[in-house]
Amino acid sequence: MTFKLKPFASLACALALSLGAASAAQAADAHAISIKDAWVRWLPNNLPAAGYATLVNASDKPIDLVDVSSDDYGDAMLHQTVSNGSTQKMVMVDKLTVPAHSQVAIAPGGYHVMLGDPKHKIAPGDTVHLTLKFSDGDTVSAPFAVKSPGQTK
Ligand SMILES: [Cu+2]
């Protein structure tokens, strides 16, 4: 197909390819960070849901998760559950660092993405999308499977 292009077109094409190669290392898996096992624990009565996932950093630099948003929820923010003796509370988290060549679990008992103000009816069995923004400038949108309250992973 390339040989059908006029010479200037194939030159432009080759140039685009070589420019693209510069970012190809970062784009080896499309993103330095990949998102695994993403799910949402749905709660009835319009209670906020909680999003969970494992963030895998394939790069050789630490990368921070710096923002979460969703087209499906008006509110999406990273929280951490912390224990104060016998009580637990949630605190806001500004960023979550995923070490180089490592992974971090956003999992029950630790971190969660608090999801409130659903923009449409959401129920177990649905799929919602969260957009995660990282300190390397990358933005990753991932499907999250909506599960019933009894699910733990
Ligand atoms: Cu929370």
Side-chain angles (χ1 to χ4, degrees):
M1 158 170 149
T2 310
F3 45 79
K4 285 185 180 172
L5 295 169
K6 290 178 179 161
F8 74 87
S10 57
L11 178 63
C13 195
L15 190 60
L17 282 173
S18 63
L19 288 173
S23 57
Q26 189 190 1
D29 180 37
H31 300 283
I33 298 268
S34 55
I35 298 170
K36 284 196 320 189
D37 304 329
W39 65 285
V40 165
R41 179 186 278 150
W42 175 90
L43 293 175
N45 303 322
N46 260 339
L47 287 167
Y52 301 108
T54 298
L55 310 182
V56 182
N57 183 356
S59 81
D60 53 10
K61 292 191 190 108
I63 297 177
D64 299 334
L65 171 64
V66 293
D67 191 45
V68 185
S69 61
S70 177
D71 287 341
D72 298 297
Y73 295 93
D75 280 333
M77 51 197 151
L78 186 61
H79 280 174
Q80 186 177 19
T81 303
V82 292
S83 293
N84 280 341
S86 59
T87 60
Q88 288 192 326
K89 65 170 186 171
M90 299 190 299
V91 296
M92 297 272 292
V93 178
D94 287 338
K95 63 173 188 175
L96 173 58
T97 302
V98 188
H101 299 295
S102 189
Q103 62 182 45
V104 166
I106 299 175
Y111 296 101
H112 57 274
V113 180
M114 199 97 225
L115 298 165
D117 187 21
K119 295 186 179 176
H120 53 92
K121 190 173 177 348
I122 296 168
D126 291 349
T127 299
V128 293
H129 287 80
L130 270 61
T131 300
L132 285 72
K133 195 173 161 195
F134 294 96
S135 57
D136 64 349
D138 205 0
T139 295
V140 183
S141 180
F144 281 61
V146 180
K147 299 184 180 182
S148 58
Q151 302 276 335
T152 55
K153 62 179 195 170

Tab-separated table of all heavy atoms in Angstrom, residues 54-101:
chain	number	residue	atom	x	y	z
A	54	THR	N	-6.100	-2.235	39.959
A	54	THR	CA	-4.658	-2.352	40.164
A	54	THR	C	-3.960	-1.569	39.061
A	54	THR	O	-4.273	-1.740	37.883
A	54	THR	CB	-4.233	-3.830	40.122
A	54	THR	OG1	-4.896	-4.513	41.196
A	54	THR	CG2	-2.728	-3.968	40.310
A	55	LEU	N	-3.063	-0.671	39.482
A	55	LEU	CA	-2.319	0.150	38.534
A	55	LEU	C	-0.937	-0.455	38.365
A	55	LEU	O	-0.197	-0.622	39.350
A	55	LEU	CB	-2.190	1.589	39.047
A	55	LEU	CG	-3.483	2.266	39.519
A	55	LEU	CD1	-3.193	3.705	39.944
A	55	LEU	CD2	-4.542	2.232	38.430
A	56	VAL	N	-0.589	-0.787	37.143
A	56	VAL	CA	0.693	-1.426	36.857
A	56	VAL	C	1.567	-0.446	36.077
A	56	VAL	O	1.161	0.052	35.028
A	56	VAL	CB	0.486	-2.715	36.030
A	56	VAL	CG1	1.833	-3.405	35.792
A	56	VAL	CG2	-0.493	-3.642	36.726
A	57	ASN	N	2.741	-0.183	36.619
A	57	ASN	CA	3.680	0.745	35.990
A	57	ASN	C	4.776	-0.052	35.279
A	57	ASN	O	5.617	-0.679	35.918
A	57	ASN	CB	4.281	1.655	37.072
A	57	ASN	CG	5.213	2.700	36.495
A	57	ASN	OD1	5.482	2.724	35.300
A	57	ASN	ND2	5.704	3.577	37.369
A	58	ALA	N	4.758	-0.008	33.952
A	58	ALA	CA	5.745	-0.758	33.164
A	58	ALA	C	7.008	0.063	32.912
A	58	ALA	O	7.965	-0.444	32.334
A	58	ALA	CB	5.127	-1.165	31.828
A	59	SER	N	7.013	1.300	33.344
A	59	SER	CA	8.147	2.173	33.034
A	59	SER	C	9.209	2.083	34.132
A	59	SER	O	9.003	1.463	35.170
A	59	SER	CB	7.670	3.621	32.894
A	59	SER	OG	7.520	4.216	34.166
A	60	ASP	N	10.341	2.741	33.883
A	60	ASP	CA	11.418	2.704	34.880
A	60	ASP	C	11.435	3.960	35.750
A	60	ASP	O	12.445	4.291	36.353
A	60	ASP	CB	12.775	2.466	34.199
A	60	ASP	CG	13.037	3.458	33.087
A	60	ASP	OD1	12.262	4.436	32.963
A	60	ASP	OD2	14.001	3.258	32.333
A	61	LYS	N	10.297	4.665	35.783
A	61	LYS	CA	10.180	5.827	36.673
A	61	LYS	C	8.896	5.709	37.489
A	61	LYS	O	7.896	5.190	36.998
A	61	LYS	CB	10.086	7.119	35.844
A	61	LYS	CG	11.340	7.475	35.099
A	61	LYS	CD	11.218	8.894	34.554
A	61	LYS	CE	12.352	9.208	33.603
A	61	LYS	NZ	11.926	9.274	32.204
A	62	PRO	N	8.920	6.199	38.710
A	62	PRO	CA	7.664	6.242	39.462
A	62	PRO	C	6.685	7.201	38.789
A	62	PRO	O	7.105	8.231	38.261
A	62	PRO	CB	8.076	6.751	40.849
A	62	PRO	CG	9.414	7.341	40.697
A	62	PRO	CD	10.054	6.748	39.469
A	63	ILE	N	5.437	6.847	38.789
A	63	ILE	CA	4.398	7.691	38.183
A	63	ILE	C	3.271	7.838	39.204
A	63	ILE	O	2.862	6.867	39.838
A	63	ILE	CB	3.868	7.059	36.879
A	63	ILE	CG1	5.000	6.977	35.842
A	63	ILE	CG2	2.687	7.860	36.326
A	63	ILE	CD1	4.600	6.292	34.541
A	64	ASP	N	2.790	9.073	39.357
A	64	ASP	CA	1.704	9.335	40.313
A	64	ASP	C	0.358	9.379	39.605
A	64	ASP	O	0.224	10.008	38.557
A	64	ASP	CB	1.897	10.699	40.988
A	64	ASP	CG	3.193	10.785	41.778
A	64	ASP	OD1	3.687	9.736	42.211
A	64	ASP	OD2	3.680	11.917	41.947
A	65	LEU	N	-0.617	8.756	40.222
A	65	LEU	CA	-2.011	9.017	39.837
A	65	LEU	C	-2.378	10.353	40.468
A	65	LEU	O	-2.262	10.521	41.685
A	65	LEU	CB	-2.918	7.906	40.375
A	65	LEU	CG	-4.421	8.136	40.242
A	65	LEU	CD1	-4.855	8.201	38.787
A	65	LEU	CD2	-5.191	7.021	40.970
A	66	VAL	N	-2.777	11.322	39.647
A	66	VAL	CA	-3.011	12.665	40.188
A	66	VAL	C	-4.471	13.114	40.099
A	66	VAL	O	-4.861	14.081	40.747
A	66	VAL	CB	-2.107	13.722	39.513
A	66	VAL	CG1	-0.646	13.469	39.877
A	66	VAL	CG2	-2.284	13.743	37.998
A	67	ASP	N	-5.272	12.422	39.280
A	67	ASP	CA	-6.677	12.854	39.179
A	67	ASP	C	-7.519	11.712	38.626
A	67	ASP	O	-7.035	10.894	37.848
A	67	ASP	CB	-6.786	14.081	38.261
A	67	ASP	CG	-8.162	14.722	38.339
A	67	ASP	OD1	-8.674	14.899	39.470
A	67	ASP	OD2	-8.742	15.028	37.285
A	68	VAL	N	-8.753	11.662	39.073
A	68	VAL	CA	-9.704	10.688	38.549
A	68	VAL	C	-10.978	11.427	38.189
A	68	VAL	O	-11.432	12.296	38.939
A	68	VAL	CB	-10.033	9.594	39.597
A	68	VAL	CG1	-10.938	8.535	38.975
A	68	VAL	CG2	-8.769	8.953	40.147
A	69	SER	N	-11.532	11.101	37.040
A	69	SER	CA	-12.820	11.672	36.665
A	69	SER	C	-13.626	10.591	35.960
A	69	SER	O	-13.111	9.517	35.648
A	69	SER	CB	-12.628	12.899	35.757
A	69	SER	OG	-11.960	12.521	34.575
A	70	SER	N	-14.901	10.868	35.729
A	70	SER	CA	-15.752	9.887	35.075
A	70	SER	C	-16.885	10.581	34.357
A	70	SER	O	-17.441	11.563	34.860
A	70	SER	CB	-16.327	8.908	36.109
A	70	SER	OG	-17.212	8.006	35.485
A	71	ASP	N	-17.217	10.066	33.180
A	71	ASP	CA	-18.400	10.571	32.486
A	71	ASP	C	-19.672	10.020	33.121
A	71	ASP	O	-20.767	10.487	32.824
A	71	ASP	CB	-18.373	10.162	31.009
A	71	ASP	CG	-17.339	10.950	30.233
A	71	ASP	OD1	-16.918	12.024	30.718
A	71	ASP	OD2	-16.947	10.493	29.150
A	72	ASP	N	-19.523	9.010	33.975
A	72	ASP	CA	-20.695	8.350	34.558
A	72	ASP	C	-21.049	8.881	35.949
A	72	ASP	O	-22.140	8.625	36.439
A	72	ASP	CB	-20.442	6.845	34.626
A	72	ASP	CG	-20.249	6.245	33.236
A	72	ASP	OD1	-21.202	6.294	32.446
A	72	ASP	OD2	-19.140	5.774	32.942
A	73	TYR	N	-20.102	9.559	36.579
A	73	TYR	CA	-20.343	10.090	37.925
A	73	TYR	C	-19.901	11.557	37.978
A	73	TYR	O	-18.841	11.910	37.464
A	73	TYR	CB	-19.532	9.319	38.975
A	73	TYR	CG	-19.935	7.871	39.131
A	73	TYR	CD1	-19.294	6.879	38.409
A	73	TYR	CD2	-20.948	7.498	40.025
A	73	TYR	CE1	-19.650	5.539	38.557
A	73	TYR	CE2	-21.302	6.168	40.179
A	73	TYR	CZ	-20.648	5.192	39.444
A	73	TYR	OH	-21.004	3.874	39.595
A	74	GLY	N	-20.698	12.371	38.641
A	74	GLY	CA	-20.335	13.769	38.798
A	74	GLY	C	-19.157	13.960	39.735
A	74	GLY	O	-18.364	14.884	39.588
A	75	ASP	N	-19.069	13.060	40.722
A	75	ASP	CA	-17.979	13.129	41.691
A	75	ASP	C	-17.114	11.884	41.590
A	75	ASP	O	-17.627	10.769	41.651
A	75	ASP	CB	-18.530	13.160	43.124
A	75	ASP	CG	-19.017	14.533	43.519
A	75	ASP	OD1	-18.511	15.522	42.964
A	75	ASP	OD2	-19.904	14.605	44.387
A	76	ALA	N	-15.820	12.084	41.466
A	76	ALA	CA	-14.887	10.954	41.484
A	76	ALA	C	-13.629	11.444	42.171
A	76	ALA	O	-13.012	12.416	41.730
A	76	ALA	CB	-14.568	10.474	40.075
A	77	MET	N	-13.306	10.851	43.311
A	77	MET	CA	-12.077	11.279	43.985
A	77	MET	C	-11.402	10.129	44.697
A	77	MET	O	-12.043	9.175	45.140
A	77	MET	CB	-12.316	12.445	44.922
A	77	MET	CG	-13.439	12.269	45.883
A	77	MET	SD	-13.921	13.879	46.552
A	77	MET	CE	-15.633	13.538	46.871
A	78	LEU	N	-10.098	10.252	44.780
A	78	LEU	CA	-9.308	9.197	45.404
A	78	LEU	C	-9.320	9.383	46.918
A	78	LEU	O	-9.004	10.453	47.426
A	78	LEU	CB	-7.875	9.243	44.863
A	78	LEU	CG	-6.950	8.119	45.319
A	78	LEU	CD1	-7.473	6.754	44.868
A	78	LEU	CD2	-5.544	8.344	44.768
A	79	HIS	N	-9.708	8.334	47.603
A	79	HIS	CA	-9.755	8.324	49.062
A	79	HIS	C	-8.898	7.188	49.596
A	79	HIS	O	-8.651	6.204	48.909
A	79	HIS	CB	-11.187	8.063	49.554
A	79	HIS	CG	-12.069	9.264	49.517
A	79	HIS	ND1	-13.413	9.192	49.808
A	79	HIS	CD2	-11.804	10.564	49.240
A	79	HIS	CE1	-13.943	10.400	49.708
A	79	HIS	NE2	-13.003	11.244	49.367
A	80	GLN	N	-8.521	7.335	50.858
A	80	GLN	CA	-7.835	6.254	51.548
A	80	GLN	C	-8.564	5.996	52.849
A	80	GLN	O	-8.947	6.941	53.546
A	80	GLN	CB	-6.378	6.639	51.824
A	80	GLN	CG	-5.561	5.504	52.424
A	80	GLN	CD	-4.107	5.883	52.616
A	80	GLN	OE1	-3.768	7.066	52.639
A	80	GLN	NE2	-3.248	4.911	52.752
A	81	THR	N	-8.777	4.737	53.148
A	81	THR	CA	-9.367	4.381	54.433
A	81	THR	C	-8.233	4.230	55.438
A	81	THR	O	-7.294	3.481	55.205
A	81	THR	CB	-10.141	3.053	54.313
A	81	THR	OG1	-11.121	3.193	53.289
A	81	THR	CG2	-10.820	2.698	55.624
A	82	VAL	N	-8.321	4.980	56.524
A	82	VAL	CA	-7.273	4.888	57.549
A	82	VAL	C	-7.912	4.492	58.875
A	82	VAL	O	-9.022	4.908	59.203
A	82	VAL	CB	-6.487	6.211	57.709
A	82	VAL	CG1	-5.651	6.491	56.484
A	82	VAL	CG2	-7.407	7.372	57.994
A	83	SER	N	-7.198	3.685	59.619
A	83	SER	CA	-7.687	3.239	60.916
A	83	SER	C	-7.135	4.131	62.008
A	83	SER	O	-5.946	4.446	62.036
A	83	SER	CB	-7.233	1.803	61.187
A	83	SER	OG	-7.869	0.940	60.292
A	84	ASN	N	-8.039	4.563	62.899
A	84	ASN	CA	-7.637	5.293	64.108
A	84	ASN	C	-8.050	4.428	65.283
A	84	ASN	O	-9.132	4.586	65.818
A	84	ASN	CB	-8.367	6.638	64.204
A	84	ASN	CG	-7.734	7.688	63.326
A	84	ASN	OD1	-6.581	7.537	62.935
A	84	ASN	ND2	-8.477	8.740	63.030
A	85	GLY	N	-7.195	3.485	65.647
A	85	GLY	CA	-7.592	2.576	66.700
A	85	GLY	C	-8.754	1.725	66.225
A	85	GLY	O	-8.615	0.964	65.287
A	86	SER	N	-9.907	1.895	66.857
A	86	SER	CA	-11.044	1.041	66.528
A	86	SER	C	-11.918	1.629	65.429
A	86	SER	O	-12.817	0.961	64.940
A	86	SER	CB	-11.882	0.813	67.789
A	86	SER	OG	-12.314	2.059	68.285
A	87	THR	N	-11.688	2.873	65.065
A	87	THR	CA	-12.532	3.478	64.040
A	87	THR	C	-11.771	3.642	62.731
A	87	THR	O	-10.547	3.682	62.709
A	87	THR	CB	-13.058	4.857	64.477
A	87	THR	OG1	-11.942	5.715	64.709
A	87	THR	CG2	-13.883	4.754	65.735
A	88	GLN	N	-12.555	3.719	61.673
A	88	GLN	CA	-11.978	3.949	60.364
A	88	GLN	C	-12.549	5.232	59.806
A	88	GLN	O	-13.699	5.560	60.046
A	88	GLN	CB	-12.337	2.802	59.409
A	88	GLN	CG	-11.602	1.507	59.715
A	88	GLN	CD	-11.771	0.518	58.579
A	88	GLN	OE1	-12.814	0.492	57.943
A	88	GLN	NE2	-10.768	-0.283	58.325
A	89	LYS	N	-11.726	5.932	59.071
A	89	LYS	CA	-12.263	7.095	58.365
A	89	LYS	C	-11.610	7.201	57.001
A	89	LYS	O	-10.588	6.574	56.740
A	89	LYS	CB	-12.053	8.372	59.175
A	89	LYS	CG	-10.615	8.749	59.375
A	89	LYS	CD	-10.503	10.137	59.977
A	89	LYS	CE	-9.028	10.564	60.030
A	89	LYS	NZ	-8.857	11.953	60.393
A	90	MET	N	-12.225	8.011	56.161
A	90	MET	CA	-11.691	8.205	54.824
A	90	MET	C	-11.009	9.553	54.746
A	90	MET	O	-11.520	10.539	55.262
A	90	MET	CB	-12.815	8.184	53.798
A	90	MET	CG	-13.572	6.904	53.745
A	90	MET	SD	-14.674	6.864	52.334
A	90	MET	CE	-15.755	8.231	52.653
A	91	VAL	N	-9.873	9.572	54.107
A	91	VAL	CA	-9.197	10.844	53.875
A	91	VAL	C	-8.962	11.011	52.374
A	91	VAL	O	-8.821	10.040	51.639
A	91	VAL	CB	-7.847	10.939	54.632
A	91	VAL	CG1	-8.072	10.909	56.131
A	91	VAL	CG2	-6.903	9.820	54.221
A	92	MET	N	-8.947	12.256	51.946
A	92	MET	CA	-8.646	12.564	50.553
A	92	MET	C	-7.177	12.278	50.279
A	92	MET	O	-6.326	12.482	51.142
A	92	MET	CB	-8.888	14.055	50.285
A	92	MET	CG	-10.308	14.489	50.473
A	92	MET	SD	-11.243	14.275	48.966
A	92	MET	CE	-10.482	15.519	47.922
A	93	VAL	N	-6.899	11.825	49.077
A	93	VAL	CA	-5.524	11.549	48.676
A	93	VAL	C	-5.214	12.409	47.449
A	93	VAL	O	-5.942	12.368	46.465
A	93	VAL	CB	-5.356	10.057	48.328
A	93	VAL	CG1	-3.943	9.768	47.855
A	93	VAL	CG2	-5.710	9.196	49.526
A	94	ASP	N	-4.151	13.210	47.555
A	94	ASP	CA	-3.788	14.083	46.431
A	94	ASP	C	-3.181	13.296	45.289
A	94	ASP	O	-3.399	13.589	44.123
A	94	ASP	CB	-2.760	15.136	46.878
A	94	ASP	CG	-3.409	16.194	47.745
A	94	ASP	OD1	-4.637	16.355	47.645
A	94	ASP	OD2	-2.684	16.830	48.523
A	95	LYS	N	-2.370	12.310	45.644
A	95	LYS	CA	-1.726	11.520	44.602
A	95	LYS	C	-1.375	10.153	45.157
A	95	LYS	O	-1.219	9.974	46.366
A	95	LYS	CB	-0.484	12.233	44.074
A	95	LYS	CG	0.588	12.418	45.127
A	95	LYS	CD	1.868	12.961	44.536
A	95	LYS	CE	2.965	12.937	45.586
A	95	LYS	NZ	4.263	13.339	45.070
A	96	LEU	N	-1.263	9.217	44.248
A	96	LEU	CA	-0.915	7.851	44.603
A	96	LEU	C	0.242	7.438	43.706
A	96	LEU	O	0.111	7.412	42.482
A	96	LEU	CB	-2.133	6.939	44.394
A	96	LEU	CG	-1.920	5.444	44.555
A	96	LEU	CD1	-1.377	5.110	45.934
A	96	LEU	CD2	-3.224	4.703	44.314
A	97	THR	N	1.390	7.154	44.313
A	97	THR	CA	2.584	6.845	43.532
A	97	THR	C	2.646	5.360	43.197
A	97	THR	O	2.521	4.509	44.080
A	97	THR	CB	3.851	7.253	44.318
A	97	THR	OG1	3.771	8.642	44.609
A	97	THR	CG2	5.112	6.972	43.517
A	98	VAL	N	2.832	5.084	41.912
A	98	VAL	CA	3.054	3.712	41.467
A	98	VAL	C	4.549	3.592	41.174
A	98	VAL	O	5.055	4.199	40.235
A	98	VAL	CB	2.245	3.386	40.195
A	98	VAL	CG1	2.334	1.901	39.879
A	98	VAL	CG2	0.789	3.815	40.351
A	99	PRO	N	5.290	2.824	42.003
A	99	PRO	CA	6.743	2.737	41.809
A	99	PRO	C	7.095	2.141	40.442
A	99	PRO	O	6.293	1.428	39.834
A	99	PRO	CB	7.190	1.808	42.942
A	99	PRO	CG	6.078	1.839	43.940
A	99	PRO	CD	4.820	2.049	43.151
A	100	ALA	N	8.308	2.429	39.989
A	100	ALA	CA	8.788	1.892	38.710
A	100	ALA	C	8.717	0.370	38.704
A	100	ALA	O	9.020	-0.273	39.713
A	100	ALA	CB	10.232	2.347	38.482
A	101	HIS	N	8.324	-0.176	37.578
A	101	HIS	CA	8.233	-1.635	37.404
A	101	HIS	C	7.510	-2.297	38.578
A	101	HIS	O	7.961	-3.314	39.101
A	101	HIS	CB	9.636	-2.246	37.253
A	101	HIS	CG	10.375	-1.723	36.065
A	101	HIS	ND1	9.964	-1.942	34.776
A	101	HIS	CD2	11.493	-0.953	35.980
A	101	HIS	CE1	10.803	-1.346	33.945
A	101	HIS	NE2	11.736	-0.734	34.640
